[in-house]
Amino acid sequence: MSTEIRANTVLPARREPITLHTADGLELIGELSLPESGVPRATLVCLHPLPTHGGMMDSHVYRKAAWRLPALADIAVLRFNTRGTASEAGRSQGSFDNGVGERFDVAAALEYAEFHDLPNIWLLGWSFGTDLALMYGCDPAVRGAVLLSPPLRFSQPEHLRVWAESGKPVHCFVPEFDDYLRPDDARARFAAIPQAEVVPFAGAKHLWVGRAEDVLDALVARVAPDVPTPLPRTWDGPSETRQVTIVDS
């Protein structure tokens, strides 16, 4: 019997809590979700929105990615709380550092992914997380970046230049009604990265409320193009329903 995939539907995967260790001595709370069997087609390292505005590893698009993509697309999802950020899984050590100390957090996540031989690593940034990806994520181990609602608040021209020179793909998903950077302005700003793709989402807003399925479809089409999209909206097999407690950082 088919089950409709809803916001709180959790599909089968191998899920384990993880701890990331930063070069400046902090422990960060995280989770790795893997397909039930076989080698993942791709790995998403998720960098969440501003913790001072409610961002965390459980931010809804990332939660749904971790609950769905291992089963629907054979994609591994690594999500974690940056320094000082709390979620239902716990609070990472340290305190929010306005995108400065967070460079160690990004490095720790990539080091974990490399050490555990996770394949085809992509950065998935959202809002503040897009700035972390642009500033600190152009690593040899990284295949490319997908940016949700990039505000370009902390990123500087030199960071965009690094990505431009790398030739790595950069896909920018920009809501039509974003609070910070809308599609036309995004095209102008991201022209500094010739290979960047700006993808406008009609009717969407910065927080992607009601649009998670559209985001996941577009994401999978870019990081695992062999997987047919749109992804299934129903599931034949075991599943769970889970409620998440939203914790303020």
Side-chain angles (χ1 to χ4, degrees):
M1 179 178 177
S2 293
T3 300
E4 182 179 357
I5 299 173
R6 298 180 176 272
N8 294 324
T9 302
V10 183
L11 302 181
R14 291 177 285 151
R15 296 186 176 88
E16 58 179 301
I18 61 173
T19 302
L20 306 180
H21 299 273
T22 68
D24 60 340
L26 300 181
E27 293 185 353
L28 310 179
I29 296 292
E31 181 195 75
L32 177 63
S33 299
L34 295 163
E36 281 197 301
S37 62
V39 177
R41 296 173 185 265
T43 302
L44 300 175
V45 174
C46 301
L47 305 174
H48 61 68
L50 268 174
T52 54
H53 289 68
M56 58 178 163
M57 62 181 278
D58 277 339
S59 292
H60 77 101
V61 173
Y62 289 170
R63 184 172 73 241
K64 291 165 186 171
W67 287 358
R68 300 179 192 179
L69 296 187
L72 296 180
D74 290 327
I75 291 175
V77 179
L78 191 163
R79 55 194 177 116
F80 68 100
N81 290 326
T82 56
R83 57 190 56 213
T85 302
S87 71
E88 186 177 72
R91 181 180 297 276
S92 291
Q93 293 178 347
S95 57
F96 175 66
D97 198 26
N98 288 291
V100 179
E102 284 82 3
R103 68 186 184 276
F104 298 118
D105 305 352
V106 176
L110 293 178
E111 182 179 72
Y112 183 97
E114 284 188 83
F115 183 80
H116 289 83
D117 295 322
L118 297 175
N120 194 19
I121 299 169
W122 285 78
L123 292 174
L124 175 60
W126 181 2
S127 194
F128 173 64
T130 67
D131 280 311
L132 297 184
L134 290 168
M135 291 190 294
Y136 308 126
C138 196
D139 184 271
V142 170
R143 172 76 177 83
V146 178
L147 311 178
L148 311 182
S149 305
L152 294 177
R153 178 183 176 192
F154 296 91
S155 308
Q156 299 300 315
E158 58 265 29
H159 301 126
L160 303 187
R161 192 176 308 121
V162 169
W163 281 92
E165 293 172 354
S166 76
K168 295 176 185 288
V170 177
H171 305 286
C172 311
F173 295 178
V174 182
E176 179 183 9
F177 301 118
D178 193 85
D179 297 326
Y180 304 102
L181 191 69
R182 295 189 176 185
D184 286 345
D185 289 337
R187 290 187 187 94
R189 298 284 299 278
F190 279 103
I193 306 176
Q195 73 274 21
E197 177 195 23
V198 174
V199 184
F201 280 73
K205 297 183 179 180
H206 190 75
L207 298 180
W208 300 99
V209 175
R211 302 299 296 273
E213 287 75 15
D214 297 334
V215 170
L216 295 182
D217 287 342
L219 170 63
V220 169
R222 285 157 179 81
V223 306
D226 291 341
V227 176
T229 54
L231 297 170
R233 300 312 196 234
T234 60
W235 176 256
D236 294 317
S239 64
E240 302 175 34
T241 299
R242 187 178 303 171
Q243 298 291 332
V244 170
T245 300
I246 301 301
V247 176
D248 291 332
S249 291

